[in-house]
Amino acid sequence: MALRAADGGALGEREVEVRAGQCEALVEALALALSLALDPDAVSRPHGPRREPERGGERRARAAPEPVVAVAPPAPPAPPARRLAIAGAAGWASGGPAAAPGLTVGLRLGRAAREWGLELAGAWPAERAVDGGSVRLSSLSVAWVPCGRVGWLRACGVARAGLVVAAGSGLEPARRGLSALAVIGARLAVQVPLSPRVGLELQGELGASLVRTALRVGEAVAWRTPRLGGAAALALVWRLR
């Protein structure tokens, strides 16, 4: 260690030696010699406790700690929101003596790409002339409609049950009767949104009758439930949430 003045003149030199492997003691001895050269009164001032020399392995472990990478667990995906909607449909259906207009009101509950609906449907009387008189048939039914959604397209299954009401007019004797209605089928629908809550939907449905009814006038069969029937409707869908 050499101490020089501002003009470069030598003020003093000192050599400090330690045994191999005691670099910590060498650094402390040099620090003490420097402090005495710069501040001779440093020895008389109180100092803190002397730190024990550390072993080389411990110093390396503290000087170069292992990197720690904290990875936050991924946030759980938010559950898909449920949809609740009311749908009202008006259209025409075949299956009676003639194609007849009808009205359907339903409640839908959906989540993600799945949807379930419960519908109440009624058809206005369809009339057919027979033997100087006429017969009229109307229907009232409830349908369970599970669906799958892809964008604006809905594909649904339809299970329908209800009653067919038949009445005669101008016949002797004129009677009124009831018969069971049971249909299973499929529906395709395309929905066009008008706003975030309101949309128009075009529906097409095809169904097969599980219960067939025959309407007789005298000895002749005036009408029989067809095996297949169809319907087309335009629906207004109002989303509640």
Side-chain angles (χ1 to χ4, degrees), residues 87-140:
W92 293 79
S94 64
L103 182 65
T104 301
V105 177
L107 184 66
R108 299 177 182 176
L109 178 63
R111 190 168 187 173
R114 293 175 294 177
E115 192 172 85
W116 300 266
L118 189 64
E119 297 178 352
L120 177 64
W124 275 271
E127 190 169 356
R128 172 178 288 183
V130 290
D131 294 340
S134 63
V135 292
R136 292 176 300 162
L137 284 92
S138 58
S139 65
L140 183 66

Side-chain angles (χ1 to χ4, degrees), residues 11 19 23 31 37 52 54 61 67 75 82 96 115 126 129 163 168 170 175 199 207 214 218 227 230 235:
L11 298 179
R19 287 179 297 182
C23 296
E52 292 296 328
E54 299 174 334
R82 291 189 175 183
E115 192 172 85
L163 293 174
R175 297 180 181 176
R227 293 185 183 277

